[in-house]
Amino acid sequence: MLRLRTFRPTNDKIVKIQLHPTHPWLVTADASDHVSVWNWEHRQVIYELKAGGVDERRLVGAKLEKLAEGESEPKGKPTEAMRGGSVKQVDFYDDDVRFWQLWHNRSAAAEAPSAVNHVTSAFSSPAPATKGRHFLVICCENKAIFLDLVTMRGRDVPKQELDNKSLLCMEFLSRSAGGDAPLVAFGGSDGVIRVLSMITWKLVRRYTGGHKGSISCLMTFMASSGEALLISGASDGLLILWSADHGHDSRELVPKLTIKAHDGGVVAVELSRVIGGAPQLITIGADKTLAIWDTISFKELRRIKPVPKLACHSVASWCHPRAPNLDILTCVKDSHIWAIEHPTYSALTRPLCELSSLVPPQVLAPNKKLRVWVYCMVAHPLQPHLVATGTNIGVIVSEFDARSLPAVAALPTPVGSREHSAVYVVERELKLLNFQLSSTANPSLGSNGSLSETGRFRGDSLEPLHVKQIKKHISTPVPHDSYSVLSISSSGKYLAIVWPDIPYFSIYKVSDWSIVDSGSARLLAWDTCRDRFALLESSLPPRIPVILKGGSSRKAKEAAAAAAQAAAAAASAASTANVQLRILLDDGTSNVYMRSIGGRSDPVIGLHGGALLGVAYRTSRRISPVAATAISTVQSMPLSGFGSSGLSSFTTIEDGFSSYRSPAEETPQNFQLYSWETFEPVGGLLPQPEWTAWDQTVEYCAFGYQQYIVISSLRPQYRYLGDVAIPHATGAVWHRRQLFVATPTTIECVFVDAGVAPIDIVTRKKKEEMKLKEAHARAVAEHGELALITVDGPHTVTTERTALRPPMLQVVRLASFLHPPSVPPFLTLPKQYKGDGDDSALQREMEERKTNEVAVGGGGVSVAMTRFPAEQRRPVGPLIVVGVRDGVLWLIDRYMCAHALSLSHPGIRCRCLAAYGDAVSAVKWASRLAREHHDDLAQFMLGMGYATEALHLPGISKRLEFDLAMQSNDLKRALQCLLTMSNSRDIKQDTTGLNLNDILSLTTKKENILDAVQGIVKFAKEFLDLVDAADATAQADIAREALKRLALAGSMKGALQGHELRGLALRLANHGELTQLNVLVNNLISVGLGREAAFAAAVLGDNALMEKAWQDTGMLAEAVLHAHAHGRPTLKTLVQAWNKMLQKEIEHAPSTKTDAAAAFLASLEEPKLTSLAEAGKKLPIEILPPGMASLSALVSVQKKPVPAILQGSQQQQQQQQQQPGKPLLLEAPATATATTTAPSDSSEATAAEANNPSSSTTNPGPILQEDATKEPDIQEIPVPVPVPVPVTTSPLTTD
């Protein structure tokens, strides 16, 4: 249960310490008066200063500020240059500190039965007083230092401005009227309390006539009557009560009540909240006593000496569910944190932990005689599981089982009732808590959406909802008062209470609260489908002896050894325990129907209920020396448990309720799921979760781990959906597809949808087939063989597209401790402040902010301007999440008070309704949400599977509307969205004949067409997707409209990409739009897109048009290939034109510059000339298809038939012995084994020709004069000319 959260070593002892309520900040002051602000979560130092002396950095900074403000010569000695003296107190002050101070005082006063109606824990948040600044306030003996941690600007108030009296303590006051907020009260050495305004920095009032000695402590609290009070303790041993309500304008205030509290002086005072009673005051004095006082009669309730012979220096009110009877923590100068059990009854003092065991061993290793001494202690005001202590070796932040939850369980609400119930355990009493919203017209119920008087949407306010709650006593007694865990069966008829420290369990029948089953067990888990449960049987372990105070004595050591032996015996007993299954029948009896589940021999350490039973086993793992030291220390702690328990409440045996492990330790695979029906394992081993949550509909489950939550779907089969990074979650509750999660600092909502996977489609088809077979079987059973007779008639086939949808997980934070962020002061506040008009300025600013957050729609409906509401206030301490009832999220805290979180903000309400399955109501509620957030809401509804309903949102964009229409198969609306987005609504049927000449001669009408074409090009992919969707659902009209516009865009050069044009051609041919396809080909030819035009012509099946596409666009190589493959009569003409083009390219080839050496070397490689007459000849270049005769007038030599084996060698010989004067022929023999070499750029055309049955594959294309396995370099062929002739061919034919 105990573990070290963080540790910071220091060189000097820490004498003052304080925690910030909402930020992970900790301020300390050591014995040398060095003040340090430390982020204990990230282990970083935020700020350090030397408060006792003169901090040179602050002094230099103050001088630079004055120089920047224009003051050349400082007037007098700056306050930063004054020595502060001894640091007496350190604290934080900002809006968070102010709010939670008020909340703490008010909630404690509201517990009293005599509390007036307006004193409740739910109150309006006060106006921001610090404007986003976070003050570090240091009370020194000679001055008070106010340092803003945001701007790092400070202000020092010397004691000369406070009547020149030393400052010994301070407290922040909460004002109810006037313009002097915020206020801080300082206790002086003369017994006078002086109040300073943090706005004007002037002394505003004094509390005089009370103390005769120096004041040592101050504290504010609220009486049950609602009056704000200030109490002070001094060295004269007196407690004096003052009025802290400054409604009157008196400058001198006299005491209301004086009490003699301690002999020798009051050291500290603390307020303790009591469940169901008035708050109490706790004081510690120099006389080594601790006194408890009633705040109504102010009589002494109890006085004890927590630790003999040692005086307490720190005290804190504590309320942790793991130790329900420990209400007070205190520290003396030793190494323990002491806890007081039942302070007003038995008042037993027990050591909560021994801090030496939490310190890392390497700190104590250099000096074995070094002991840990505690000098100060503070409990976290909002997270009771955190306790910080200042010691002689550093700061220790301890954590006490953050996963423990209050002993309360919510009962099912009857249908139609607005009153909800929960049962809880306090000490040895079973009580019933009835709670409901105080007003039925609350906007959270969805009854109205009107504006409040301030123009603010009521459901969007930051003020908590008012709850009416009544606590009733149940006559049935509870056998134990130790830590208990409550749970409810699936039907809500039975309540289970487990005391794991005893160990013992009881099953109560809710109708009459009779016990139906009980026994010895440490763990219990319910089935979510039936009233049956599993429990871990456990025998009673030997009792651990109590260690007397003074743990260093010989008896204490003997008792520690006995405690270790008892813990080992308990561990051995737990290892032999079995998991037993029991069922509760309708007559209220409990029956065992499975003695032991699971065949593993490992001891069970955890049970988790749900649709499947989860069992966690202890696996053997290596324990680090640090963990071993901690375990041995904790097992030997002087604790005997509570309520006559045999096993210590703070033992480290892994019982499922102990502290979670360090994140550095590897999580073992030790968690197995079992079926409740067959008792067989389901799946493999998993890491053990800290908690599990199962949906009531058995569709989803969540496993909580230390740093994340794993969410899975269960139907049609188990499928992992994802994990959400919500660390340290303590519990969660499902509400359909909403998972409400509680963490120590926040309340989160996770919206979950499994999406649509392929397995879902297969399962749906199988279910439909099964339904058809069942219907067929029923028909045969009813009507016999006549049912098999069918009559053929016209059938209308409706094809439904089922689109896959990925899983969706969206996290929304509903509540936290943090105050809503405000604008930093350097942006809003002027340099000088007026005390008189500041309050009205704050009110005006708040009213303007409230008005700006809403807009009024038609009919007076308020419209929320934010996507999500501002974070609400999370209740303090560990919480039980009850769930959503009456449209609000209910929570119950450690003090057994119900809290309601509003879900009425339209951004949240719409999502909750959609997740619940009521998408129609979600669309109706969207009218209260600003339209700029409708796209985000529509995306959420699309992820939830409500694309059709999301189309009705009025503020969605056209682009999203198209996606939604496609998802919902509303193709007609999708077409209209595309026409609007592409600006092509006015395209007529005859516009597809737009050619190049029309484009070049633009008119006004054709300019509009050109704009439409640009829009079509932008959304070409969407148009093609729409055509495919229309084809799949047999909506030809929509496909034709889209194709018509695509054809228009395809007629313009460069508008569409090649793949888009080819896809368009295929779709036109598929729809039989041959006329438009023919027009498209002609337009593509006119704009010079030869390849695309040829592909379209190939799809059309027109060889002449395809040849024209190649020829008219200058792609003669492709035209020759096409004519040769299809035996076209125009082959010779095309070859001549192609060769002429090549000859022309050779003649006009640019000359390259070469030097003399390169020209000489090149001439050596050229062929020799036989005569001078051959020097002036340039033979024509001819590239012919295979088998085609030469086009030259010269007569070519007849070739004798040669066997195919010698053909390749003869070709090489012929190439070397070619006679001069004969034209150069780049030709390959037309053999049957020739390999086809197709041009790369005409791959689409040749593919189309291959599909044409008229295509010939005998002579596939021209092959260069070389064997088929090697492509020759044309320039390497010896040509008998006097100069080298560069032969250039198109890359289309030599690839």
Side-chain angles (χ1 to χ4, degrees):
M1 175 176 172
L2 307 178
R3 86 178 182 104
L4 176 68
R5 181 62 183 266
T6 185
F7 172 73
R8 185 195 177 201
T10 56
N11 297 325
D12 206 345
K13 61 183 179 181
I14 303 298
V15 295
K16 304 294 179 183
I17 191 170
Q18 190 58 260
L19 286 166
H20 193 278
T22 57
H23 294 282
W25 298 343
L26 183 147
V27 57
T28 59
D30 59 15
S32 303
D33 298 322
H34 285 81
V35 177
S36 175
V37 181
W38 188 49
N39 187 316
W40 53 266
E41 191 174 76
H42 301 288
R43 303 184 181 185
Q44 295 177 348
V45 176
I46 299 176
Y47 192 79
E48 287 183 326
L49 76 156
K50 185 179 179 181
V54 177
D55 194 282
E56 296 296 335
R57 295 177 301 171
R58 295 189 65 239
L59 182 60
V60 173
K63 292 181 179 179
L64 292 177
E65 284 185 17
K66 292 182 179 180
L67 289 176
E69 293 173 359
E71 298 182 11
S72 57
E73 295 182 1
K75 300 178 181 179
K77 185 179 181 180
T79 55
E80 289 79 8
M82 298 178 55
R83 297 183 61 87
S86 176
V87 176
K88 299 299 181 179
Q89 189 176 344
V90 289
D91 207 344
F92 297 100
Y93 187 75
D94 52 22
D95 290 334
D96 288 327
V97 175
R98 183 167 178 252
F99 174 86
W100 291 112
Q101 180 188 17
L102 285 172
W103 182 91
H104 180 67
N105 294 338
R106 188 178 288 258
S107 60
E111 290 281 352
S114 60
V116 294
N117 294 330
H118 67 272
V119 180
T120 60
S121 59
F123 66 100
S124 300
S125 178
T130 59
K131 294 279 187 175
R133 292 173 290 184
H134 300 280
F135 283 107
L136 170 63
V137 185
I138 306 171
C139 177
C140 300
E141 190 174 6
N142 298 328
K143 65 179 178 180
I145 302 174
F146 296 82
L147 179 67
D148 182 11
L149 296 177
V150 176
T151 62
M152 289 302 171
R153 292 186 176 184
R155 186 179 186 106
D156 293 7
V157 179
K159 67 178 183 179
Q160 284 77 10
E161 297 183 11
L162 298 173
D163 299 337
N164 202 16
K165 299 297 180 179
S166 298
L167 311 178
L168 302 180
C169 58
M170 64 180 177
E171 175 69 354
F172 302 101
L173 304 182
S174 302
R175 55 110 186 178
S176 59
D180 296 330
L183 305 175
V184 56
F186 292 98
S189 57
D190 58 346
V192 177
I193 302 173
R194 295 170 178 85
V195 180
L196 179 75
S197 171
M198 293 177 63
I199 298 296
T200 61
W201 303 106
K202 301 295 183 182
L203 182 65
V204 294
R205 63 180 53 86
R206 300 178 181 86
Y207 294 89
T208 59
H211 292 287
K212 299 185 182 301
S214 58
I215 299 176
S216 56
C217 56
L218 293 171
M219 189 195 69
T220 58
F221 71 100
M222 181 176 289
S224 58
S225 61
E227 182 184 7
L229 300 174
L230 173 67
I231 191 166
S232 60
S235 59
D236 54 8
L238 297 179
L239 278 180
I240 297 183
L241 201 66
W242 314 81
S243 174
D245 193 354
H246 311 306
H248 42 81
D249 195 23
S250 175
R251 298 292 176 178
E252 301 286 341
L253 299 178
V254 296
K256 293 174 63 69
L257 182 67
T258 302
I259 306 171
K260 178 62 176 179
H262 294 275
D263 296 332
V266 179
V267 176
V269 61
E270 179 73 11
L271 181 69
S272 175
R273 179 178 175 179
V274 180
I275 299 177
Q280 299 173 353
L281 293 177
I282 307 169
T283 60
I284 53 176
D287 55 357
K288 303 181 180 63
T289 62
L290 181 148
I292 303 175
W293 308 85
D294 181 25
T295 56
I296 296 179
S297 61
F298 289 96
K299 294 182 178 180
E300 181 180 315
L301 300 177
R302 191 64 186 259
R303 184 180 294 270
I304 61 174
K305 287 187 176 182
V307 182
K309 300 180 182 180
L310 291 176
C312 300
H313 53 69
S314 302
V315 65
S317 174
W318 200 50
C319 190
H320 196 284
R322 191 64 176 88
N325 301 323
L326 302 182
D327 298 328
I328 299 174
L329 299 182
T330 185
C331 286
V332 298
K333 190 180 177 182
D334 64 0
S335 59
H336 292 85
I337 298 178
W338 297 90
I340 302 177
E341 178 186 355
H342 294 299
T344 56
Y345 301 104
S346 59
L348 297 177
T349 304
R350 304 181 183 277
L352 184 65
C353 73
E354 212 283 328
L355 293 178
S356 299
S357 63
L358 302 182
V359 179
Q362 58 269 21
V363 177
L364 301 177
N367 188 359
K368 296 183 178 180
K369 295 184 179 181
L370 180 64
R371 293 193 61 186
V372 178
W373 301 100
V374 181
Y375 289 92
C376 55
M377 179 270 300
V378 63
H380 198 287
L382 305 184
Q383 303 179 54
H385 62 282
L386 295 175
V387 177
T389 50
T391 67
N392 58 324
I393 61 173
V395 180
I396 302 174
V397 179
S398 309
E399 189 170 45
F400 299 87
D401 198 0
R403 292 188 302 148
S404 296
L405 298 179
V408 60
L411 299 175
T413 302
V415 179
S417 175
R418 290 192 178 274
E419 185 178 27
H420 316 292
S421 301
V423 60
Y424 65 95
V425 176
V426 174
E427 295 180 352
R428 295 197 179 205
E429 295 182 356
L430 195 64
K431 293 189 176 182
L432 192 67
L433 173 66
N434 296 326
F435 54 93
Q436 63 178 343
L437 292 175
S438 60
S439 176
T440 56
N442 195 289
S444 299
L445 305 180
S447 58
N448 59 36
S450 59
L451 289 172
S452 60
E453 296 178 358
T454 60
R456 185 183 179 90
F457 186 58
R458 292 178 180 176
D460 193 19
S461 61
L462 297 176
E463 289 75 15
L465 303 174
H466 293 278
V467 178
K468 178 182 178 181
Q469 48 191 346
I470 301 175
K471 297 178 180 179
K472 298 180 180 180
H473 177 72
I474 298 175
S475 58
T476 304
V478 176
H480 306 286
D481 63 350
S482 65
Y483 170 59
S484 58
V485 180
L486 277 67
S487 56
I488 296 291
S489 66
S490 61
S491 64
K493 298 179 181 179
Y494 301 96
L495 167 70
I497 305 179
V498 179
W499 293 269
D501 300 331
I502 303 301
Y504 192 78
F505 82 97
S506 295
I507 305 294
Y508 295 83
K509 192 174 182 180
V510 175
S511 58
D512 56 359
W513 299 109
S514 61
I515 298 178
V516 297
D517 196 359
S518 62
S520 175
R522 298 173 57 246
L523 300 172
L524 187 143
W526 286 99
D527 182 6
T528 56
C529 301
R530 297 181 62 184
D531 287 340
R532 54 187 170 187
F533 60 93
L535 57 89
L536 179 65
E537 292 181 312
S538 178
S539 60
L540 292 176
R543 180 180 178 86
I544 299 179
V546 179
I547 300 179
L548 300 177
K549 300 172 185 178
S552 59
S553 64
R554 181 176 59 85
K555 294 183 179 180
K557 293 181 179 179
E558 293 177 356
Q565 293 178 0
S572 62
S575 63
T576 59
N578 295 325
V579 178
Q580 185 180 112
L581 266 62
R582 301 186 183 184
I583 187 169
L584 297 171
L585 303 180
D586 295 336
D587 57 357
T589 60
S590 176
N591 294 273
V592 178
Y593 74 105
M594 189 62 187
R595 288 290 178 182
S596 178
I597 188 172
R600 297 174 61 94
S601 60
D602 299 328
V604 177
I605 61 174
L607 287 181
H608 298 273
L612 297 173
L613 173 63
V615 181
Y617 298 93
R618 181 190 294 120
T619 57
S620 59
R621 68 179 188 271
R622 186 177 180 181
I623 301 178
S624 62
V626 179
T629 304
I631 290 176
S632 61
T633 305
V634 173
Q635 289 180 348
S636 61
M637 282 176 51
L639 290 170
S640 62
F642 309 101
S644 303
S645 65
L647 185 64
S648 171
S649 297
F650 304 102
T651 177
T652 57
I653 297 177
E654 296 169 295
D655 54 357
F657 303 98
S658 58
S659 174
Y660 49 79
R661 306 179 185 90
S662 172
E665 297 184 22
E666 183 180 357
T667 305
Q669 304 282 332
N670 62 339
F671 184 70
Q672 178 66 61
L673 294 173
Y674 292 92
S675 172
W676 289 96
E677 305 292 341
T678 63
F679 320 119
E680 295 296 328
V682 178
L685 288 174
L686 301 172
Q688 179 187 359
E690 297 181 354
W691 51 264
T692 60
W694 299 78
D695 186 14
Q696 288 290 338
T697 60
V698 198
E699 292 184 3
Y700 298 96
C701 66
F703 291 172
Y705 295 91
Q706 186 173 354
Q707 296 296 329
Y708 56 89
I709 300 174
V710 175
I711 298 178
S712 307
S713 65
L714 304 175
R715 295 181 179 176
Q717 64 180 15
Y718 178 85
R719 180 155 54 97
Y720 167 78
L721 299 181
D723 49 37
V724 289
I726 301 179
H728 310 302
T730 57
V733 169
W734 282 100
H735 188 69
R736 286 290 177 94
R737 289 180 289 180
Q738 310 158 65
L739 182 67
F740 294 95
V741 184
T743 72
T745 56
T746 62
I747 303 294
E748 315 276 355
C749 178
V750 185
F751 296 100
V752 182
D753 186 76
V756 178
I759 185 64
D760 299 328
I761 301 176
V762 174
T763 305
R764 186 183 306 173
K765 290 181 179 180
K766 288 183 179 180
K767 288 183 178 180
E768 293 175 355
E769 293 175 358
M770 292 176 60
K771 288 182 180 179
L772 290 176
K773 290 181 180 179
E774 292 175 359
H776 185 268
R778 285 195 304 266
V780 170
E782 293 178 4
H783 306 287
E785 297 296 332
L786 294 176
L788 300 177
I789 301 175
T790 58
V791 179
D792 293 335
H795 297 282
T796 58
V797 180
T798 58
T799 306
E800 182 181 357
R801 295 189 316 121
T802 304
L804 299 180
R805 193 174 72 250
M808 188 196 70
L809 301 175
Q810 184 177 10
V811 182
V812 179
R813 179 164 295 177
L814 299 178
S816 68
F817 291 138
L818 292 175
H819 191 276
S822 56
V823 181
F826 51 83
L827 297 180
T828 57
L829 295 184
K831 180 181 175 181
Q832 299 293 335
Y833 302 98
K834 297 285 185 179
D836 298 332
D838 183 77
D839 187 61
S840 59
L842 288 176
Q843 293 181 356
R844 286 196 303 269
E845 182 181 351
M846 289 298 295
E847 295 298 329
E848 291 176 0
R849 183 178 301 175
K850 291 178 180 179
T851 306
N852 293 335
E853 287 181 357
V854 298
V856 181
V861 177
S862 59
V863 179
M865 302 304 294
T866 56
R867 178 190 175 204
F868 291 121
E871 295 176 7
Q872 303 173 63
R873 296 290 189 179
R874 183 197 183 278
V876 174
L879 299 173
I880 290 290
V881 183
V882 176
V884 177
R885 301 177 186 179
D886 291 341
V888 299
L889 178 63
W890 289 99
L891 310 166
I892 300 179
D893 64 5
R894 170 67 181 86
Y895 298 96
M896 307 307 165
C897 290
H899 303 267
L901 293 184
S902 173
L903 301 176
S904 63
H905 186 280
I908 294 293
R909 176 57 63 89
C910 292
R911 285 168 169 79
C912 290
L913 290 172
Y916 193 76
D918 191 359
V920 176
S921 299
V923 173
K924 292 180 180 178
W925 265 84
S927 61
R928 296 173 170 88
L929 186 65
R931 293 200 171 193
E932 57 265 27
H933 304 300
H934 282 200
D935 271 8
D936 181 70
L937 179 60
Q939 291 281 11
F940 174 83
M941 296 183 67
L942 176 61
M944 282 286 175
Y946 298 116
T948 304
E949 290 79 2
L951 279 172
H952 297 283
L953 294 174
I956 58 176
S957 61
K958 287 295 179 182
R959 184 64 182 85
L960 183 57
E961 184 180 354
F962 169 77
D963 293 336
L964 293 173
M966 291 290 289
Q967 288 284 339
S968 58
N969 292 328
D970 191 355
L971 303 185
K972 187 174 181 180
R973 185 165 181 178
L975 176 63
Q976 298 302 320
C977 293
L978 272 184
L979 297 182
T980 302
M981 290 188 295
S982 61
N983 197 21
S984 60
R985 189 178 296 275
D986 298 331
I987 301 297
K988 303 299 181 182
Q989 187 68 28
D990 54 351
T991 18
T992 54
L994 190 70
N995 54 28
L996 182 60
N997 297 327
D998 295 329
I999 297 172
L1000 295 177
S1001 58
L1002 286 176
T1003 60
T1004 305
K1005 181 179 179 181
K1006 293 172 183 174
E1007 288 180 356
N1008 296 335
I1009 295 175
L1010 188 59
D1011 294 339
V1013 168
Q1014 293 177 352
I1016 295 170
V1017 169
K1018 184 177 180 181
F1019 298 100
K1021 182 180 182 300
E1022 285 75 10
F1023 272 106
L1024 293 174
D1025 293 341
L1026 179 61
V1027 172
D1028 293 339
D1031 290 342
T1033 54
Q1035 302 183 44
D1037 296 340
I1038 296 176
R1040 280 195 293 269
E1041 287 294 325
L1043 285 173
K1044 181 176 67 175
R1045 285 156 177 82
L1046 282 172
L1048 172 64
S1051 63
M1052 294 190 179
K1053 184 175 182 179
L1056 296 179
Q1057 302 294 328
H1059 67 279
E1060 295 171 344
L1061 289 169
R1062 291 190 288 274
L1064 172 61
L1066 289 173
R1067 289 167 176 83
L1068 285 173
N1070 185 36
H1071 281 266
E1073 299 288 344
L1074 303 182
T1075 303
Q1076 286 196 1
L1077 185 56
N1078 193 6
V1079 173
L1080 175 64
V1081 173
N1082 292 327
N1083 287 338
L1084 291 175
I1085 293 174
S1086 64
V1087 297
L1089 298 177
R1091 294 183 180 84
E1092 288 75 13
F1095 182 84
V1099 174
L1100 189 60
D1102 191 342
N1103 290 328
L1105 191 59
M1106 187 176 179
E1107 181 180 316
K1108 181 185 177 185
W1110 294 124
Q1111 187 174 359
D1112 291 357
T1113 55
M1115 305 179 72
L1116 295 179
E1118 287 80 355
V1120 169
L1121 283 173
H1122 178 265
H1124 180 68
H1126 292 273
R1128 300 286 299 167
T1130 56
L1131 176 60
K1132 184 176 180 179
T1133 307
L1134 291 174
V1135 171
Q1136 290 177 350
W1138 184 28
N1139 290 328
K1140 287 181 180 179
M1141 183 185 68
L1142 294 176
Q1143 190 70 31
K1144 188 175 182 180
E1145 290 179 358
I1146 294 175
E1147 293 175 353
H1148 293 82
S1151 60
T1152 58
K1153 297 181 178 180
T1154 57
D1155 55 359
F1160 175 74
L1161 294 175
S1163 63
L1164 295 178
E1165 297 178 358
E1166 292 174 355
K1168 303 298 182 180
L1169 299 179
T1170 57
S1171 63
L1172 294 177
E1174 296 177 357
K1177 294 181 179 180
K1178 289 185 180 180
L1179 300 180
I1181 302 299
E1182 289 184 357
I1183 300 179
L1184 305 176
M1188 185 175 178
S1190 173
L1191 300 178
S1192 175
L1194 299 178
V1195 180
S1196 58
V1197 181
Q1198 287 283 341
K1199 297 180 180 178
K1200 294 181 181 181
V1202 182
I1205 300 176
L1206 304 176
Q1207 189 174 0
S1209 60
Q1210 288 183 2
Q1211 288 177 1
Q1212 185 176 2
Q1213 184 178 1
Q1214 178 186 355
Q1215 186 179 17
Q1216 296 175 356
Q1217 297 176 359
Q1218 188 170 1
Q1219 299 177 3
K1222 187 174 182 178
L1224 178 62
L1225 301 179
L1226 301 180
E1227 179 183 348
T1231 61
T1233 59
T1235 304
T1236 304
T1237 304
S1240 61
D1241 290 338
S1242 60
S1243 59
E1244 297 87 353
T1246 55
E1249 294 167 7
N1251 294 330
N1252 195 331
S1254 61
S1255 301
S1256 175
T1257 58
T1258 306
N1259 297 323
I1263 303 176
L1264 297 181
Q1265 188 174 348
E1266 192 60 64
D1267 58 281
T1269 60
K1270 178 180 179 183
E1271 293 185 0
D1273 191 349
I1274 298 177
Q1275 296 184 358
E1276 293 179 359
I1277 299 176
V1279 181
V1281 290
V1283 292
V1285 180
V1287 181
T1288 59
T1289 60
S1290 174
L1292 295 172
T1293 60
T1294 60
D1295 188 8

